[in-house]
Amino acid sequence: KPMSVANAQQMLQELSGKQITFYSAVCLLNTFSDGLHHHVDKTVVTMRELTSEQIAAYLRREPDAIYCAGAAKSESLGAALLEKVETCDPNALIGLPIFRLIDFLQAEGVDLLYPYYCLSSYTFIFHHLKICLQSFTLSPHLSAHPTRLAYYPTSNSKSRD
């Protein structure tokens, strides 16, 4: 994550026309069953050839890109910077392999389509589950900044209908 416009410009110039490999991970722990699941997802991205003018225009229109791995906010205008994305789960590129997380939850008896559970904007509310998610992105050209989300239900946890 470049964290400044100057770093983002330099990063995007260096990545222009190149292929980058990102790794995103998820871990789920059910403290009642001791079920532990973990997965590392690989996403290979090919960047378009970019001019300095295109990079500057992108960063003016997408100021939050400085907080994204590779300075490319792929879920919005940053998609215009990408030529190709190879992955089993398109959510992994923005930080969390949702498809595998759903597999893990189903293995622990949690059906997200059942109205007892709520999955919205990476907010997880699951009765009797302790969920520890660790999501990170690594690349030879980028630094890793892990993001952690944990939910610890209490005795007064309530379900959402």
Side-chain angles (χ1 to χ4, degrees):
K1 298 179 183 180
M3 306 306 284
S4 75
V5 172
N7 289 344
Q9 287 172 327
Q10 180 181 353
M11 184 178 286
L12 288 170
Q13 285 175 335
E14 290 174 9
L15 296 176
S16 176
K18 294 188 178 154
Q19 193 174 75
I20 309 115
T21 301
F22 294 91
Y23 297 94
S24 298
V26 62
C27 175
L28 178 111
L29 171 65
N30 181 335
T31 57
F32 290 92
S33 71
D34 288 329
L36 176 63
H37 309 269
H38 52 86
H39 171 73
V40 178
D41 200 272
K42 178 181 174 182
T43 302
V44 180
V45 174
T46 304
M47 300 290 288
R48 294 182 186 279
E49 293 284 344
L50 303 168
T51 66
S52 296
E53 292 80 18
Q54 288 174 315
I55 292 170
Y58 166 70
L59 292 172
R60 277 193 304 275
R61 292 182 60 197
E62 193 72 80
D64 289 344
I66 65 171
Y67 305 113
C68 298
K73 196 170 179 181
S74 64
E75 67 273 23
S76 61
L77 187 60
L81 307 176
L82 311 180
E83 182 176 303
K84 183 178 178 182
V85 177
E86 300 172 60
T87 184
C88 293
D89 184 344
N91 302 289
L93 185 58
I94 58 174
L96 184 62
I98 293 285
F99 294 171
R100 190 53 68 101
L101 174 60
I102 291 168
D103 292 341
F104 294 165
L105 290 167
Q106 287 178 340
E108 292 299 319
V110 176
D111 183 352
L112 294 176
L113 298 177
Y114 192 71
Y116 185 72
Y117 303 103
C118 173
L119 173 61
S120 173
S121 302
Y122 295 106
T123 300
F124 301 90
I125 301 171
F126 303 109
H127 187 66
H128 299 303
L129 280 179
K130 173 183 172 184
I131 298 176
C132 297
L133 303 174
Q134 183 172 5
S135 151
F136 59 91
T137 306
L138 298 173
S139 166
H141 303 285
L142 307 172
S143 59
H145 293 278
T147 314
R148 289 192 172 92
L149 169 69
Y151 171 67
Y152 300 91
T154 60
S155 58
N156 60 1
S157 294
K158 295 181 181 171
S159 65
R160 247 176 98 176
D161 294 327

